[in-house]
Amino acid sequence: MAGQQFVQALSNHPDFEVVIMVTSRTLKNYNEALLESDGSSRWIQNTPVPADMLEVPVISSKEFRPETVDVIFTAIESDLAKELEPWFAQTTPTFSTASAFRYFDDTPLLITGVNDDHAELIRKQQRERGWKGFVLPVPNCTVTGLAITLKPLYDRFGIQNVLMVSMQSLSGAGRSPGVRSLDILDNIIPYIPNEEGKVRKELLKILGEYSSEGIAPAEIHINCICTRANVLDGHTESVFVGLKKQAGLSEIKEAINGYNPFQNGNLHSAPDRMIHLFDDPFRPQPRLDRELGGGMTTSMGRLEEESVLGGVKYVLVSHNTKMGAGKGAVLLAESMLARGLLHG
């Protein structure tokens, strides 16, 4: 799922050209790699395979030489990432959707426009590991929209407590093994293994304070329940926030609407707006709003004062395989290139 988003995000890209793809076996090209044994296609996006990607050669990881390319994007399982990504990073910057490197002290967990100041930590990673490249993972797709919506509140008012309930899409589980259709039809599955721990740990790292020695986790009390819903793409989350500094709803809306780190930017994959705040109480909805900003804008709605925690509550929708995975990793690479951190 994330790999197909990489393919879409990198098609006709002004900064990056896809010259090779790597999988478990050598094939003629990407078009052939998409074919199942019965001749059906593995491509499941709602737009055709980009024409400039069909003839890209596909080789096995045993034949691949990382030093022959400038940048590597990986969409592989974490166990395989632990083996391959350190090899790639010896010579080449590697942007990953896997969790293998998210929790190391020398590895920043970046969301472009949220915690860009953490990016310099990759220099520590390179020094300590003796790498010319680096491994830079994007966060778990569930925490991405949450961190984006909390960022303006955290900066302006401070945050004491966060409670969140997610209703996560099927694409977040991948295609194979994915979620069984007879389990999810007419149903919500109330537990996703390991997901809640990832959200808690990663949010505190993303919003933490950076120094040259590492990242001090944010001091926020957070708890969550993560569920799987019968939705194809787009994670929906209900969020309750306790603020350190009390504020009225108008001031909170002003902080959210004023948070737009891409306003004067020139990053190819960045949306015009980081957050779209709806006044309509029936929005956001994943089917209607997941593609805002090319799938890179996080939608918020149902913003109301929250008396129990002393803050606000709201609903968000974030595209889990675009901003939360493949396209978000491409945006991160664009940001690192613009900041002069991609090489050297």
Side-chain angles (χ1 to χ4, degrees):
M1 303 294 294
Q4 292 186 13
Q5 293 295 351
F6 273 134
V7 167
Q8 289 185 315
L10 290 166
S11 176
N12 295 312
H13 197 283
D15 300 318
F16 306 114
E17 178 188 2
V18 179
V19 294
I20 201 163
M21 299 191 195
V22 181
T23 184
S24 58
R25 58 197 178 107
T26 298
L27 297 162
K28 181 180 178 182
N29 52 36
Y30 186 57
N31 192 38
E32 181 181 344
L34 286 172
L35 295 179
E36 300 277 14
S37 57
D38 62 1
S40 62
S41 177
R42 292 190 178 98
W43 186 260
I44 62 167
Q45 307 305 314
N46 57 12
T47 56
V49 184
D52 61 326
M53 294 292 179
L54 291 171
E55 300 299 324
V56 174
V58 176
I59 65 170
S60 74
S61 57
K62 294 179 181 179
E63 298 177 44
F64 179 53
R65 296 293 174 264
E67 68 274 9
T68 64
V69 296
D70 298 316
V71 181
I72 297 171
F73 295 95
T74 68
I76 52 181
E77 297 295 332
S78 287
D79 287 345
L80 188 57
K82 291 175 184 176
E83 175 186 342
L84 293 180
E85 290 177 352
W87 171 42
F88 296 163
Q90 288 177 22
T91 59
T92 311
T94 301
F95 295 86
S96 172
T97 62
S99 64
F101 274 79
R102 288 177 188 159
Y103 309 116
F104 287 114
D105 291 340
D106 63 359
T107 305
L109 197 52
L110 297 174
I111 301 174
T112 306
V114 172
N115 59 338
D116 303 279
D117 61 312
H118 294 191
E120 291 284 347
L121 189 59
I122 62 162
R123 298 307 187 209
K124 179 181 180 182
Q125 185 191 79
Q126 290 173 316
R127 288 194 307 271
E128 294 187 349
R129 297 175 187 260
W131 291 346
K132 293 182 180 178
F134 53 77
V135 176
L136 202 49
V138 295
N140 177 279
C141 54
T142 311
V143 81
T144 299
L146 180 62
I148 288 170
T149 56
L150 291 176
K151 174 66 173 176
L153 304 179
Y154 185 68
D155 285 351
R156 178 79 73 90
F157 311 109
I159 293 175
Q160 293 188 137
N161 305 294
V162 175
L163 300 175
M164 184 271 283
V165 178
S166 71
M167 292 146 280
Q168 297 177 214
S169 69
L170 300 177
S171 60
R175 191 183 185 206
S176 177
V179 179
R180 296 183 184 93
S181 61
L182 287 180
D183 290 346
I184 196 64
L185 286 173
D186 191 32
N187 207 10
I188 288 178
I189 298 172
Y191 177 63
I192 302 173
N194 304 316
E195 193 80 355
E196 291 158 17
K198 290 178 182 179
V199 170
R200 289 192 292 264
K201 191 168 186 177
E202 292 182 27
L203 179 70
L204 301 186
K205 185 172 185 178
I206 293 165
L207 296 180
E209 186 173 341
Y210 167 74
S211 73
S212 59
E213 294 304 310
I215 298 166
E219 295 181 355
I220 298 172
H221 301 291
I222 174 172
N223 208 347
C224 57
I225 290 177
C226 295
T227 75
R228 187 77 66 193
N230 193 13
V231 173
L232 182 58
D233 289 312
H235 289 351
T236 303
E237 301 172 23
S238 298
V239 186
F240 300 79
V241 184
L243 300 175
K244 287 184 178 179
K245 176 186 174 184
Q246 295 305 300
L249 204 56
S250 60
E251 190 179 358
I252 292 169
K253 287 182 177 179
E254 180 188 346
I256 295 168
N257 287 324
Y259 170 58
N260 192 18
F262 302 129
Q263 189 169 6
N264 299 312
N266 56 355
L267 301 179
H268 175 72
S269 299
D272 291 334
R273 293 203 60 82
M274 190 79 159
I275 298 174
H276 181 91
L277 181 59
F278 283 100
D279 291 324
D280 183 349
F282 291 95
R283 304 285 284 276
Q285 298 178 26
R287 193 173 71 184
L288 299 179
D289 303 313
R290 60 193 169 207
E291 294 292 345
L292 279 178
M296 302 296 278
T297 295
T298 300
S299 301
M300 291 179 71
R302 291 296 312 277
L303 186 69
E304 301 171 13
E305 293 185 12
E306 206 295 308
S307 59
V308 176
L309 294 181
V312 292
K313 62 181 180 180
Y314 59 87
V315 173
L316 73 85
V317 167
S318 176
H319 200 304
N320 54 295
T321 64
K322 290 190 176 179
M323 185 61 184
K327 198 172 180 180
V330 173
L331 176 62
L332 180 55
E334 295 166 6
S335 173
M336 296 295 283
L337 179 64
R339 294 166 67 90
L341 291 171
L342 200 54
H343 292 283

